[in-house]
């Protein structure tokens, strides 16, 4: 299992919550590759862009404002039509526009099926939001070295929290280990960190850019250590409950499979496998709740406008695709010849899922799409937004 883009028993936090993340690596010996690195190495990767030109939304969305029935029927038809090109057995989408209100639709679901899907790496936006909240509360700093929590991890005395957020850490991404990828079932954080550490550093911390799921697993463990409770409970307390998001949660290995629409696989990815991803992508939710969450991030309801500016301040090119990565956020240049625009948010995926959560800056519109099969979700969203442009 991978994510395009890892849980703890409550009893572990009874007496030693703050030291758990530190214990993860101090309990194991790892034969890591050696690499001579200096502190504060010069960055030599793809040139980042600044987010200084971004104009952020200010209005709070209300998903109780339903789109007019006739217009909704037009989008329903467009949604069903474009889904035929994805072969996804099940999908769900939600859109909010200040002009048309809220629209949502699903496909391929039984009447009694759960409404929550797995959002894969979109969950990194949740983890980064928690980190930025803790920084604002002065419980953490961007330039803090991670050897405080992971003393035995290679180069940990040189890696900063900011390096993890920006994917500039050089930390090997665990899903790239072929042997690990062939094993099904729950994988505890200690195992994933051990596998990552065994590969050694991809590059010296701060010197380059590469997407790392392990880095966001570490960030999730740091949140747990500081807050002294499991990440699932921190997500509930700091995000889901204040925003009234009943469906948004970080799954744990003990949660039932019936919580989610199963990803399309044989056998399908189970909740306990999704739980393995932890801070790197273990979030499930309904699309409407994800819209509200993104709106809260972009309008400063979860952290200040200063933190929001920081999230988008440094944006690194991703794989030459028009996508840029900041501190747990993405900026995507949509180079549609008819309606070019900019999206803010996050996308994710795996061999059996695809998720897109974005704010379209030109349209002032939010969209959330999730499919239980790998498919071009960005194209589906773009088609639906263009269909909205033509609504009467």
């Amino acid at each position: 299992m991978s994510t395009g883009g890892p849980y703890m028993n409550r009893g572990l936090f009874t007496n030693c919550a703050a030291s758990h993340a530190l214990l993860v690596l101090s309990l194991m010996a790892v034969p890591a590759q050696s690499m001579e690195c200096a502190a504060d190495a010069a960055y030599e990767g793809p040139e980042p862009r600044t987010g200084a030109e971004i104009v952020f939304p200010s209005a709070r969305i209300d998903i109780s404002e339903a789109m007019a029935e006739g217009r909704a029927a037009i989008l329903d038809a467009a949604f069903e039509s474009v889904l035929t090109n994805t072969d996804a057995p099940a999908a769900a989408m939600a859109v909010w526009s200040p002009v048309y209100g809220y629209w949502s639709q699903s496909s391929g679901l039984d009447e009694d099926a759960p409404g929550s899907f797995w959002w894969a790496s979109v969950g990194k936006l949740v983890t980064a939001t928690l980190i930025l909240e803790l920084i604002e509360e002065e419980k953490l700093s961007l330039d803090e070295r991670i050897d405080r929590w992971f003393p035995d991890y290679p180069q940990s005395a040189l890696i900063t929290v900011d390096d993890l957020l920006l994917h500039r850490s050089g930390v090997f991404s665990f899903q790239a280990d072929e042997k690990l990828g062939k094993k099904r079932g729950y994988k505890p954080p200690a195992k994933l960190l051990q596998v990552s550490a065994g590969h050694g550093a991809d590059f010296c911390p701060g010197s380059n850019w590469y997407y790392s799921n392990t880095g966001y697993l570490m960030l999730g463990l740091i949140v747990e250590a500081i807050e002294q409770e499991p990440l699932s409970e921190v997500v509930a307390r700091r995000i889901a409950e204040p925003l009234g998001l009943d469906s948004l949660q970080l799954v744990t290995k003990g949660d039932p499979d019936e919580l989610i629409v199963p990803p399309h696989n044989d056998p399908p990815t189970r909740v306990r496998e999704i739980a393995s991803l932890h801070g790197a992508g273990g979030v499930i939710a309904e699309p409407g709740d994800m819209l509200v969450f993104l709106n809260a991030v972009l309008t400063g309801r979860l952290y200040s406008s200063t933190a929001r500016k920081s999230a988008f301040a440094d944006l690194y090119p991703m794989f030459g695709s028009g996508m840029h990565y900041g501190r747990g956020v993405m900026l995507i240049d949509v180079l549609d010849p008819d309606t070019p625009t900019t999206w803010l948010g996050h996308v994710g995926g795996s061999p059996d899922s695809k998720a897109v959560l974005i704010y379209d800056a030109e349209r002032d519109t939010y969209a959330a799409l999730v499919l239980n099969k790998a498919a071009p979700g960005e194209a589906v969203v773009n088609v639906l937004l263009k269909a909205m442009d033509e609504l009467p």
Side-chain angles (χ1 to χ4, degrees):
M1 178 177 61
S2 65
T3 165
Y7 278 64
M8 303 177 188
N9 186 294
R10 178 60 180 164
L12 290 173
F13 291 83
T14 303
N15 299 309
C16 59
S19 62
H20 177 79
L22 186 149
L23 289 173
V24 166
L25 278 174
S26 64
L27 293 176
M28 65 190 188
V30 177
Q33 301 170 9
S34 61
M35 179 182 291
E36 293 295 327
C37 295
D40 303 315
Y43 179 71
E44 300 175 349
E47 188 68 23
R49 64 189 275 186
T50 176
E53 78 284 359
I54 296 172
V55 177
F56 293 101
S58 58
R60 181 181 298 192
I61 68 173
D62 182 358
I63 63 173
S64 68
E65 301 174 354
M67 182 178 293
E69 187 174 336
R71 290 169 175 165
I74 293 172
L75 289 192
D76 290 347
F79 184 55
E80 286 296 333
S81 176
V82 71
L83 283 181
T84 61
N85 297 320
T86 70
D87 292 327
M93 185 171 181
V95 174
W96 183 89
S97 158
V99 176
Y100 301 115
Y102 178 69
W103 169 87
S104 66
Q105 187 57 272
S106 61
S107 177
L109 300 181
D110 296 332
E111 189 172 318
D112 57 349
S116 291
F117 283 74
W118 172 39
W119 288 84
S121 276
V122 176
K124 290 181 174 66
L125 178 58
V126 173
T127 301
T129 298
L130 297 174
I131 289 288
L132 292 175
E133 285 184 336
L134 294 175
I135 289 171
E136 283 211 311
E137 295 167 11
E138 299 184 348
K139 296 179 179 179
L140 186 65
S141 66
L142 287 176
D143 59 3
E144 193 160 1
R145 309 287 173 168
I146 68 168
D147 56 341
R148 170 182 168 187
W149 301 281
F150 310 104
D152 297 330
Y153 193 89
Q155 309 287 358
S156 63
L158 304 179
I159 298 169
T160 67
V161 170
D162 206 23
D163 288 331
L164 297 181
L165 279 172
L166 290 167
H167 295 294
R168 285 183 29 164
S169 63
V171 169
F172 179 85
S173 192
F174 56 77
Q175 92 286 352
D177 184 277
E178 294 185 8
K179 184 177 180 181
L180 182 73
K182 293 177 181 177
K183 295 180 180 179
R184 302 299 300 265
Y186 175 74
K187 303 175 181 72
K191 176 62 177 178
L192 297 177
L193 291 171
Q194 182 180 32
V195 168
S196 172
H199 284 269
D202 285 338
F203 49 81
C204 288
S207 68
N208 214 320
W209 188 95
Y210 196 76
Y211 195 88
S212 174
N213 280 311
T214 308
Y216 271 74
L217 166 63
M218 288 176 159
L219 289 172
L221 292 171
I222 289 171
V223 171
E224 290 185 327
I226 292 173
E227 294 291 84
Q228 301 192 34
E229 61 183 340
L231 189 60
S232 59
E233 295 185 16
V234 181
V235 169
R237 175 171 54 83
R238 283 184 171 268
I239 295 178
E241 292 170 6
L243 297 177
L245 308 180
D246 294 336
S247 72
L248 191 153
Q249 67 179 91
L250 191 85
V251 296
T252 70
K253 66 177 181 178
D255 288 328
D257 290 326
E258 292 74 21
L259 275 177
I260 63 168
V261 176
H264 181 64
N265 204 348
D266 188 17
T269 299
R270 301 297 188 187
V271 164
R272 59 184 176 273
E273 294 174 293
I274 294 171
S276 299
L277 293 168
H278 199 255
V283 169
I284 66 170
E286 297 176 3
D289 277 356
M290 294 302 285
L291 291 187
V292 175
F293 165 60
L294 179 59
N295 173 253
V297 168
L298 295 180
T299 57
R301 292 172 61 193
L302 290 172
Y303 48 57
S304 71
S305 58
T306 299
R308 178 185 63 187
K309 183 178 180 181
S310 172
F312 287 91
D314 306 292
L315 298 161
Y316 291 83
M318 298 180 66
F319 320 123
S321 61
M323 301 168 68
H324 294 75
Y325 207 96
R327 292 178 173 87
V329 295
M330 292 183 184
L331 180 148
I332 303 172
D333 294 315
V334 182
L335 304 178
D336 186 288
D338 300 319
T339 53
T341 186
T342 299
W343 290 350
L344 308 177
H346 210 295
V347 302
S350 77
D352 53 12
S353 69
K354 180 63 182 182
V356 180
L357 177 64
I358 60 95
Y359 167 72
D360 187 307
E362 293 298 322
R363 295 179 173 93
D364 190 21
T365 296
Y366 294 81
L369 169 74
V370 63
L371 307 101
N372 69 341
K373 182 178 180 180
E378 294 87 350
V380 173
V381 171
N382 193 44
V383 168
L384 263 291
L385 291 177
K386 292 176 74 171
M388 282 188 67
D389 293 339
E390 303 299 321
L391 290 178

